[in-house]
Amino acid sequence: MSQYDTGKSIAMPGHRARKRFGQNFLQDDNIIRRIVAAIAPKQGEHIVEIGPGQGAITTPLLASGARLDAIELDRDLAAWLQSRFADVDTFTLHQCDVLKFDLASLTTEPRSLSIVGNLPYNISTPCIFHLLKYQSLIHEMTFMLQLEVVQRLAAQVGDDNYGRLGIMAQYYCQVDHLFDVPPGAFHPQPKVTSAIVRLTPHRTQKLVATDTTLLQDVVRTAFSQRRKTLRNCLKPLIADIHPDDLPVDLSLRPENLSLEDYVNLSNTLSAARQEK
Ligand code: SAM
């Protein structure tokens, strides 16, 4: 028997998957085992699961002896999960929207949370940006996402999928694309391939932006018009600065700058604002 035996999968009787909540439930025990092995839950560890659904990974995670806070928006599933795990005292359910959930209400201990989830695809990008606000509390995040989103998270300068999501995720975290998951692993089946990604917040920040809000503004503004030159798309942010004082070539496009270039540019703009 595997270390991460899933036990018997139990589905909520009569539940029909709700498209508006991005419900595609895992039903392949091998894939569930691989995901749980990637998470490698430990006794006493503090896990937060986003969208437990019908508990496909919740059950083996709890079996490890980890403490688990689950965040589920669907009221019917939340009520069912509550009764299913009623006698598990390491299980706490929060029936709410993860995008409004304050992770800091769970702990003040740095790097103590392991966040996991087969994320609802319709909110995966805002969900990652929301969680990055709490990166100092997070030890690691392991997610199932659309393959295309995982490729964007891991993209390097020069890749087709390179943009805001990858730059900001890589500013805060090491990104590892672990493995792909075919549509047949779910019910109902999604139209696209999924993938498992691990985001590990940097223990020591290699690149330091003096103002992370400004870094986000610079990256967002640049990629809002990714086909234009930096001179054009960054106009609102660089109007008061002589081009020779900027650390980047303004004739380039947003996709040509590395994360380090964006941090340098943001720090130069931040210093110029301080001098005013
Ligand atoms: N973890 C389960 C599995 O793997 O079978 C379900 C995954 S399903 C793709 C996504 C889950 O997230 C659903 O249970 C859905 O109800 C829940 N969900 C959708 N939007 C949510 C939100 N904003 N906050 C919390 N949970 C949400």
Side-chain angles (χ1 to χ4, degrees), residues 21-26 51-53 71-73 96-98 118 120 123:
F21 292 149
Q23 291 179 353
N24 299 98
F25 299 109
L26 272 167
I71 304 169
E72 175 56 63
L73 182 60
C96 63
D97 181 348
V98 63
N118 171 9
I123 61 151

Side-chain angles (χ1 to χ4, degrees), residues 122-134:
N122 48 345
I123 61 151
S124 55
T125 301
C127 181
I128 290 169
F129 276 107
H130 177 68
L131 296 171
L132 288 175
K133 290 187 233 156
Y134 301 95

Side-chain angles (χ1 to χ4, degrees), residues 118-147:
N118 171 9
L119 295 189
Y121 292 160
N122 48 345
I123 61 151
S124 55
T125 301
C127 181
I128 290 169
F129 276 107
H130 177 68
L131 296 171
L132 288 175
K133 290 187 233 156
Y134 301 95
Q135 48 86 26
S136 64
L137 298 175
I138 299 171
H139 154 63
E140 182 171 277
M141 301 187 263
T142 311
F143 296 132
M144 169 113 70
L145 301 164
Q146 283 182 38
L147 174 59

Side-chain angles (χ1 to χ4, degrees), residues 1-223:
M1 188 159 46
S2 152
Q3 183 189 358
Y4 301 114
D5 196 51
T6 55
K8 252 209 150 4
S9 296
I10 304 172
M12 177 179 163
H15 182 75
R16 293 182 59 167
R18 293 178 169 132
K19 221 175 171 173
R20 69 180 186 283
F21 292 149
Q23 291 179 353
N24 299 98
F25 299 109
L26 272 167
Q27 55 161 18
D28 180 322
D29 277 350
N30 276 329
I31 296 288
I32 294 170
R33 259 190 286 273
R34 283 186 76 190
I35 295 170
V36 177
I39 297 167
K42 286 164 207 69
Q43 169 101 26
E45 187 179 5
H46 192 170
I47 296 179
V48 179
E49 185 185 358
I50 298 164
Q54 308 194 60
I57 62 172
T58 321
T59 306
L61 291 176
L62 283 169
S64 71
R67 167 177 160 208
L68 192 142
D69 280 272
I71 304 169
E72 175 56 63
L73 182 60
D74 185 316
R75 279 172 200 275
D76 296 334
L77 284 176
W80 179 78
L81 287 161
Q82 188 72 275
S83 67
R84 178 169 166 197
F85 296 116
D87 54 359
V88 182
D89 59 9
T90 49
F91 176 78
T92 309
L93 185 85
H94 307 265
Q95 192 269 305
C96 63
D97 181 348
V98 63
L99 299 179
K100 296 185 184 144
F101 189 80
D102 177 11
L103 224 52
S105 67
L106 298 179
T107 186
T108 52
E109 197 185 321
R111 292 191 286 273
S112 60
L113 301 175
S114 174
I115 318 282
V116 306
N118 171 9
L119 295 189
Y121 292 160
N122 48 345
I123 61 151
S124 55
T125 301
C127 181
I128 290 169
F129 276 107
H130 177 68
L131 296 171
L132 288 175
K133 290 187 233 156
Y134 301 95
Q135 48 86 26
S136 64
L137 298 175
I138 299 171
H139 154 63
E140 182 171 277
M141 301 187 263
T142 311
F143 296 132
M144 169 113 70
L145 301 164
Q146 283 182 38
L147 174 59
E148 187 258 331
V149 177
V150 172
Q151 288 166 336
R152 284 202 276 137
L153 282 164
Q156 299 295 315
V157 62
D159 292 347
D160 287 349
N161 287 316
Y162 183 68
R164 176 177 167 243
L165 181 64
I167 291 170
M168 291 316 301
Q170 290 171 39
Y171 175 72
Y172 289 112
C173 305
Q174 156 85 26
V175 178
D176 294 299
H177 176 169
L178 300 184
F179 59 91
D180 295 348
V181 178
F186 305 87
H187 180 80
Q189 293 192 17
K191 291 195 177 69
V192 293
T193 298
S194 304
I196 303 292
V197 67
R198 180 182 295 136
L199 306 177
T200 313
H202 302 303
R203 286 211 155 225
T204 41
Q205 194 74 32
K206 279 176 260 165
L207 299 166
V208 180
T210 44
D211 178 346
T212 48
T213 308
L214 181 58
L215 173 66
Q216 299 219 33
D217 272 1
V218 171
V219 176
R220 186 186 307 108
T221 309
F223 282 94

